[in-house]
Amino acid sequence: MSYELTIEPLGQTIAVEDEQTILDAALRAGIWLPHACCHGLCATCKVKVVDGEIDHGEASSFALMDFERDEGKALACCARLQSDVVIEAEVDDDPDAESIPVRDFHGTVGRIEALTPTIKGVFITLDEPIRFQAGQYINLEIDGGRLSRTFSLANPPSGGRAVEVELDIRIVPGGEGTGWIHHHLQAGDRVKLSGPYGRFFVRRSAPQPLIFMAGGSGLSSPRAMILDLLEAGDPRPITLVYGQRNRAELYYHEAFLALAARHPQFRYLPTLSDEAADSAWQGARGFVHEAALALFGGDFRGHKAYLCGPPLMIEACIAALMQGRLFENDIYTEKFFSAADVQQVRSPLFKRI
């Protein structure tokens, strides 16, 4: 059984299958709705139900309070239709966004590489190519579909589509999903994934120089975006400031050094926050925001900034950028967070970052 969902102010009506969430139905119809965690925790996907009946599903009482439910609010990632429904959503019209419907894909794990002691590169050959924008992510089914987790695509969509995709996956202490991938997933295994998801991509219509700030396995999206820009011959100055705890965790380091040597518009600054004082490391030390402030002399004006990593890193980088006079309209973020980070998913001061 299916119901009709009308999304305002777009005026578009789509079919929603039984037990399908509002968010999933919209994304699979090529309609982007704001979202982040997809588990009813962060409130990014909050919409207003103007007409019709819905089931709130597993929306947390923190992300969607009782008085908001009474006012007709719902979380699109959890809400399921119980009749034909009309909703109002905050839908930004971004000229650089491609309308790509979310789809299901099947593939085979071609190889798994140990990129660092805690990060593995999982390379999956798909049965058919996936179309995406560099910076987007997919949802991977784990252990035969018992679990699912989201991971950024670390490779560029060369030619607009890719048959092999790379996922750079850091093992999370106590994490059931990443633990299973690191200890049980093998080359030759069949997997299922869906995508693409996300609103993290380069605004190509903007002429400003680009700053990428990444931490940990948050390098995945910036790497894909930078490779995509360089492949296309983009002439804008591009800076990557990348932070890890120590040299052993710094991956694709030599590859970025080689890119910087070949492309004069690209510069690369790695920084280590917990490297032994007596090690052979002669590069920058400290956190990403500290290294960026030093590199730019505390002045970020006239740039576009793309930030990807854990919430505390993102918040520190936003503060540093604003201290250097770069503000909300020029800052784009992709945060990696868990349920413990839920209160930090969206800044209380800004609508978009």
Side-chain angles (χ1 to χ4, degrees):
M1 182 177 182
S2 66
Y3 294 108
E4 289 191 342
L5 172 68
T6 301
I7 302 171
E8 299 294 355
L10 300 178
Q12 292 184 247
T13 299
I14 61 174
V16 181
E17 299 300 322
D18 191 33
E19 294 304 308
Q20 187 178 28
T21 66
I22 288 175
L23 179 62
D24 184 63
L27 294 176
R28 289 179 181 272
I31 300 172
W32 182 84
L33 296 179
H35 61 282
C37 76
C38 296
H39 296 292
L41 299 173
C42 72
T44 305
C45 66
K46 194 173 294 180
V47 298
K48 181 174 179 59
V49 178
V50 177
D51 188 43
E53 300 295 327
I54 59 104
D55 177 357
H56 287 287
E58 299 178 356
S60 81
S61 57
F62 172 82
L64 189 69
M65 298 182 182
D66 289 342
F67 77 88
E68 292 180 301
R69 299 174 193 234
D70 294 340
E71 292 174 351
K73 302 291 179 59
L75 300 186
C77 72
C78 295
R80 293 171 171 82
L81 304 195
Q82 295 183 323
S83 70
D84 292 344
V85 167
V86 178
I87 65 169
E88 289 181 352
E90 294 184 10
V91 182
D92 296 328
D93 183 18
D94 192 320
D96 293 296
E98 297 180 21
S99 178
I100 307 175
V102 168
R103 295 179 51 206
D104 295 323
F105 296 87
H106 294 82
T108 302
V109 178
R111 67 188 192 281
I112 300 175
E113 297 181 3
L115 300 177
T116 79
T118 64
I119 299 173
K120 287 190 175 182
V122 178
F123 297 81
I124 301 171
T125 301
L126 301 176
D127 295 346
E128 56 180 316
I130 181 173
R131 178 186 165 205
F132 66 97
Q133 291 183 266
Q136 292 188 294
Y137 63 91
I138 57 88
N139 189 64
L140 178 69
E141 290 193 1
I142 298 170
D143 193 10
R146 184 175 64 86
L147 303 169
S148 66
R149 296 290 186 271
T150 58
F151 300 106
S152 296
L153 292 158
N155 57 288
S158 302
R161 294 174 180 269
V163 173
E164 183 182 71
V165 296
E166 175 184 350
L167 311 176
D168 298 342
I169 300 173
R170 181 181 71 88
I171 189 167
V172 176
E176 187 177 10
T178 60
W180 191 90
I181 290 170
H182 273 246
H183 299 308
H184 299 287
L185 188 67
Q186 298 180 4
D189 286 353
R190 294 286 292 172
V191 294
K192 179 182 178 182
L193 58 88
S194 61
Y197 296 97
R199 204 74 160 177
F200 191 59
F201 50 81
V202 173
R203 272 58 184 179
R204 293 180 181 269
S205 62
Q208 294 97 321
L210 306 170
I211 304 171
F212 293 92
M213 303 167 76
S217 59
L219 179 65
S220 297
S221 290
R223 176 175 182 261
M225 297 157 88
I226 290 167
L227 291 175
D228 191 42
L229 288 165
L230 295 178
E231 284 181 4
D234 195 295
R236 285 175 292 179
I238 302 169
T239 300
L240 169 63
V241 184
Y242 174 48
Q244 273 285 16
R245 290 179 57 81
N246 53 60
R247 178 63 184 89
E249 292 294 335
L250 195 65
Y251 71 110
Y252 286 129
H253 176 62
E254 289 77 14
F256 279 118
L257 290 174
L259 281 175
R262 292 200 308 270
H263 300 275
Q265 76 272 39
F266 174 61
R267 62 178 174 174
Y268 164 58
L269 176 63
T271 183
L272 304 180
S273 62
D274 195 29
E275 177 72 355
D278 59 353
S279 76
W281 177 253
Q282 296 181 349
R285 293 174 181 263
F287 295 107
V288 172
H289 67 284
E290 296 169 334
L293 281 167
L295 180 64
F296 285 87
D299 188 351
F300 300 104
R301 287 176 293 181
H303 290 80
K304 288 281 187 181
Y306 296 84
L307 322 180
C308 192
L312 288 178
M313 186 217 91
I314 296 293
E315 298 301 331
C317 288
I318 290 174
L321 289 168
M322 296 187 68
Q323 178 184 334
R325 301 189 63 76
L326 195 71
F327 301 111
E328 181 182 5
N329 288 341
D330 294 313
I331 302 173
Y332 304 89
T333 69
E334 185 79 296
K335 297 181 186 179
F336 293 163
F337 60 91
S338 65
D341 302 314
V342 63
Q343 297 187 49
Q344 301 178 33
V345 171
R346 296 189 72 179
S347 165
L349 299 177
F350 305 109
K351 175 181 176 182
R352 191 176 53 77
I353 61 176

